[in-house]
Amino acid sequence: MQSVSIYDFIKIKIASMEYAPGRNFSEMDIARELGTPRSKVREAFSLLAQDKLVQIIPQRCTTICKLDLGNILDSIFIVRSILIAVVKDVNLQHIEKQLTITQLRESLTAFENGTVFSDADFFNADHNFYLTLSGLNGFPRLNKIIFKEKLNIDRTLRLSIGRRGDYIAIAKLYGKVLDGMLAGAPEKSIKAICEISVTLEKYANMAVKCHPSLFK
């Protein structure tokens, strides 16, 4: 396994909260688990430290960084600002873009009405929503920015949401964003984006109250 793959492996575990904030690892732990040389694990830890996802304590261990409410609120603001800019700039008269949005709207509707549900279903729909919108204006770098900021936002959602109805409520807001775009009414999309931000801030604050030991 290459170091970039080890990096992705650990990052996914952090995002899913399988590796919780404050958890300690040694290079040997991961090397044994993945059957890879310690040097490759060290390279991956170095990349994760640059992302401020882990803290390396030389000669001792590597710790999953605790969440920071201030940083999470900043991330929510950044993502909101990008989405609003995309909605304002994108012209859906381009048939491929219109079809992409229409297909995403149909998949969200299916999610809302589905009888079988799991956390994975929501985060898959959530991923497709942000992936699609960030790709509409032709600037791939926006995709990287959004998903970098979303990682810790998603971690707080996993900590604070426990009911299917909560996930559905967020998915319906995503649907409102798309409906506004399809109707040529960006003001409606922007209103829904702001509602999403308020909702995410609520869950972030809830996560701090429910799991204070996981935050700085």
Side-chain angles (χ1 to χ4, degrees):
M1 182 177 284
Q2 299 299 313
S3 60
V4 65
S5 298
I6 299 169
Y7 165 85
D8 289 335
F9 173 86
I10 299 173
K11 191 172 182 179
I12 289 169
K13 297 285 189 180
I14 293 173
S16 68
M17 294 300 290
E18 185 173 340
Y19 290 172
R23 180 171 174 175
N24 295 329
F25 294 93
S26 69
E27 292 173 3
M28 186 61 72
D29 292 334
I30 302 296
R32 279 203 204 96
E33 183 175 356
L34 300 180
T36 192
R38 289 179 61 180
S39 60
K40 297 295 185 182
V41 176
R42 190 176 305 119
E43 291 173 15
F45 279 162
S46 178
L47 292 173
L48 291 161
Q50 291 175 30
D51 291 340
K52 298 183 180 180
L53 294 176
V54 304
Q55 179 183 10
I56 299 172
I57 305 173
Q59 308 302 319
R60 289 183 57 191
C61 64
T62 295
T63 302
I64 306 297
C65 290
K66 292 194 173 186
L67 295 161
D68 186 308
L69 179 61
N71 288 342
I72 292 166
L73 295 178
D74 287 346
S75 293
I76 293 171
F77 173 80
I78 291 168
V79 172
R80 180 185 70 191
S81 300
I82 291 174
L83 292 185
I84 289 174
V86 168
V87 166
K88 287 180 176 180
D89 291 344
V90 169
N91 182 353
L92 283 189
Q93 290 180 353
H94 192 293
I95 189 65
E96 289 184 7
K97 292 181 179 180
Q98 187 171 13
L99 284 173
T100 299
I101 292 296
T102 300
Q103 291 166 357
L104 179 59
R105 186 64 184 97
E106 290 172 353
S107 69
L108 279 174
T109 300
F111 168 77
E112 293 169 22
N113 298 330
T115 54
V116 179
F117 174 83
S118 69
D119 288 3
D121 294 325
F122 169 77
F123 283 103
N124 183 54
D126 172 88
H127 178 84
N128 288 335
F129 172 79
Y130 286 97
L131 182 66
T132 299
L133 261 65
S134 63
L136 286 176
N137 64 358
F139 292 102
R141 190 178 174 200
L142 287 184
N143 177 290
K144 293 182 179 180
I145 295 172
I146 283 180
F147 283 101
K148 179 180 179 181
E149 298 298 335
K150 264 183 55 58
L151 190 145
N152 285 331
I153 297 173
D154 291 350
R155 292 167 81 193
T156 59
L157 284 179
R158 291 180 187 277
L159 286 173
S160 54
I161 293 185
R163 298 179 302 168
R164 181 177 187 272
D166 295 330
Y167 285 124
I168 296 297
I170 295 175
K172 286 184 175 179
L173 289 175
Y174 293 165
K176 287 183 178 181
V177 174
L178 303 179
D179 289 341
M181 296 177 74
L182 290 169
E187 70 282 356
K188 292 183 179 179
S189 295
I190 291 171
K191 180 180 178 182
I193 290 168
C194 292
E195 290 178 30
I196 291 169
S197 292
V198 170
T199 301
L200 295 177
E201 289 172 0
K202 179 186 76 173
Y203 285 121
N205 282 288
M206 190 184 301
V208 176
K209 291 180 181 178
C210 295
H211 305 277
S213 64
L214 301 182
F215 286 79
K216 293 180 180 178

